[in-house]
Amino acid sequence: MAMDLFSFRQHRDKDPNRGEALQQAQSLRAAGIKYRQALRALNIQGLRLSRDDYYNLSRSEGNHTEEEARQFALAILKEEGFHVRCLEKNIIEDNQVKRRVIEHFFFCNEEQICLARRFLSHFLVETDATFNTNRLNMPLSVLLGITNTGSSFPAAYCFISSESKESFLFMFACMEELMFYDQCVGPNVILGDFAAGLGAAMDYLHEYYKRLEPQFIHVYTRRLPNLGANSTQRAESSHPMVKSVTNKHTPMRESVKRICQEIKSAQVEYEVAVNREMGHHPVLMDHQAFSLLKGKITHAAINMVSKEINLLQQRNLIIRSHLGLHPEIRWLLNLQVTNALLNASCLYDFVYHVNVGYTNV
């Protein structure tokens, strides 16, 4: 009988099927399955795992390699119902592939995909990374959008090895695959700090902006709002949500589990906010101008259009009732979307143009 080299502890991490075995075993261990039963299930798939490794799955990451810790995190994400994409690399020693390691992994759930298709398409996505969220010291990059209530939402998260060109291209490719399909286009604007990796990923920025950077005058971006955002303050303000439940000593799988819970909580809060606004309206709302839109568009949209109405009133324009809307407002709104606004029963999926910016309705 041939000797199985992978049965020796010093060779176990070189087993090409070890990552898949750990993911399967993590699910079985979480379900309380004993080792003997789990071993049968693994053997059917041609996988192997020792008794010690199986029962050590519930212990600290200190007993496992970094690659095993990443595999545990992937297993938890799949259990939580998240879509996961990984970028793996071969480790080559002596001109031979010794093992594969996970460099970056991107994850989002179905609700995040729906929100991204509604509010990122033809609009804006912010990106920023935060640190000290896990024991492996992997930076956590967030892709953030703006909802029709004016609040921020995480469209996706990605654990990366560094803020490199490769990591940004990987995240954008994952967004395109999971979110922007069936003729749904991606965001028109990507807003982020000028990380070297982001600049390199955006060839135009790297080729044209970088050499002109010394000629730019630095100003306070807080006073120059762009697309409802000032610099990356929205992305940066989302970091405390993650930092409140993680730190640099948190095991990777525990960090992932806590982030998943925070994502789901944020999604519930958004649904509650939208439902609340459908039954109420702003106290100082112009009831004549918004007679047909009450309960059909969010408070954030009403407040932004109200500013336009006030400007028109200050110019001594006569307010006339035309299907409940000021005639000049019809000129300000995109005609096609205006017709949809006037005829649709639910107006929460449309985008209209006011002044020079975009506003999600």
Side-chain angles (χ1 to χ4, degrees), residues 118 148 274 278 295-297 340-341 343-350 361:
R118 287 177 61 186
N148 50 355
V274 169
M278 289 180 67
K296 296 181 180 179
I297 63 175
L341 286 172
N343 296 293
S345 59
C346 179
L347 310 176
Y348 279 76
D349 287 334
F350 298 106
V361 178

Side-chain angles (χ1 to χ4, degrees), residues 130 133 140 157 238-247 259 262:
T130 185
T133 63
L140 177 63
Y157 282 104
S238 71
H239 296 334
M241 179 188 77
V242 175
K243 291 292 188 69
S244 65
V245 295
T246 62
N247 56 60
I259 292 171
E262 289 298 314

Side-chain angles (χ1 to χ4, degrees), residues 161-330:
S161 58
S162 64
E163 289 187 280
S164 61
K165 174 181 179 180
E166 177 188 73
S167 65
F168 282 107
L169 291 177
F170 170 69
M171 287 190 293
F172 297 152
C174 292
M175 287 176 60
E176 184 175 355
E177 176 191 352
L178 293 172
M179 299 174 180
F180 305 116
Y181 53 88
D182 290 342
Q183 299 181 347
C184 179
V185 301
N188 290 341
V189 176
I190 299 174
L191 185 60
D193 54 11
F194 197 78
L198 179 58
M202 310 298 289
D203 292 334
Y204 177 84
L205 291 178
H206 184 68
E207 183 177 353
Y208 296 99
Y209 174 79
K210 190 64 178 178
R211 59 186 175 85
L212 299 176
E213 185 178 8
Q215 302 178 26
F216 279 75
I217 300 175
H218 294 277
V219 297
Y220 290 102
T221 56
R222 182 173 295 278
R223 297 187 179 182
L224 298 172
N226 179 29
L227 301 176
N230 304 309
S231 184
T232 58
Q233 94 286 356
R234 284 182 178 268
E236 291 165 358
S237 65
S238 71
H239 296 334
M241 179 188 77
V242 175
K243 291 292 188 69
S244 65
V245 295
T246 62
N247 56 60
K248 63 181 180 180
H249 302 295
T250 307
M252 173 58 81
R253 59 184 176 185
E254 187 63 29
S255 177
V256 164
K257 187 181 297 185
R258 294 175 184 178
I259 292 171
C260 289
Q261 294 304 316
E262 289 298 314
I263 291 173
K264 293 177 180 179
S265 297
Q267 291 167 352
V268 171
E269 291 175 3
Y270 168 72
E271 293 295 335
V272 170
V274 169
N275 291 330
R276 182 175 61 248
E277 293 189 6
M278 289 180 67
H280 300 82
H281 54 77
V283 176
L284 300 179
M285 184 183 72
D286 187 329
H287 291 271
Q288 180 182 4
F290 293 97
S291 60
L292 293 182
L293 299 181
K294 290 188 295 185
K296 296 181 180 179
I297 63 175
T298 61
H299 292 186
I302 290 176
N303 291 334
M304 294 196 72
V305 177
S306 294
K307 295 178 181 179
E308 300 296 328
I309 292 178
N310 292 333
L311 289 175
L312 295 172
Q313 289 176 331
Q314 292 173 9
R315 296 171 185 169
N316 297 321
L317 294 175
I318 301 175
I319 295 181
R320 294 173 296 174
S321 176
H322 180 68
L323 294 179
L325 287 177
H326 187 284
E328 294 295 331
I329 297 299
R330 291 179 59 81

Side-chain angles (χ1 to χ4, degrees), residues 90-130:
N90 293 327
I91 301 300
I92 300 176
E93 298 176 3
D94 299 328
N95 295 324
Q96 293 183 345
V97 177
K98 294 296 184 181
R99 61 185 184 278
R100 290 178 64 84
V101 298
I102 297 174
E103 286 285 302
H104 324 293
F105 59 94
F106 176 101
F107 58 97
C108 60
N109 62 16
E110 200 64 38
E111 183 64 23
Q112 286 176 291
I113 292 175
C114 292
L115 292 176
R117 288 172 66 85
R118 287 177 61 186
F119 301 122
L120 297 190
S121 180
H122 282 301
F123 193 51
L124 163 79
V125 63
E126 292 191 34
T127 177
D128 195 31
T130 185

Side-chain angles (χ1 to χ4, degrees), residues 31-50:
I33 305 298
K34 299 296 184 181
Y35 173 71
R36 187 179 296 276
Q37 295 173 292
L39 183 61
R40 293 196 192 102
L42 292 173
N43 286 339
I44 292 174
Q45 303 177 61
L47 305 175
R48 76 188 83 208
L49 199 67
S50 70

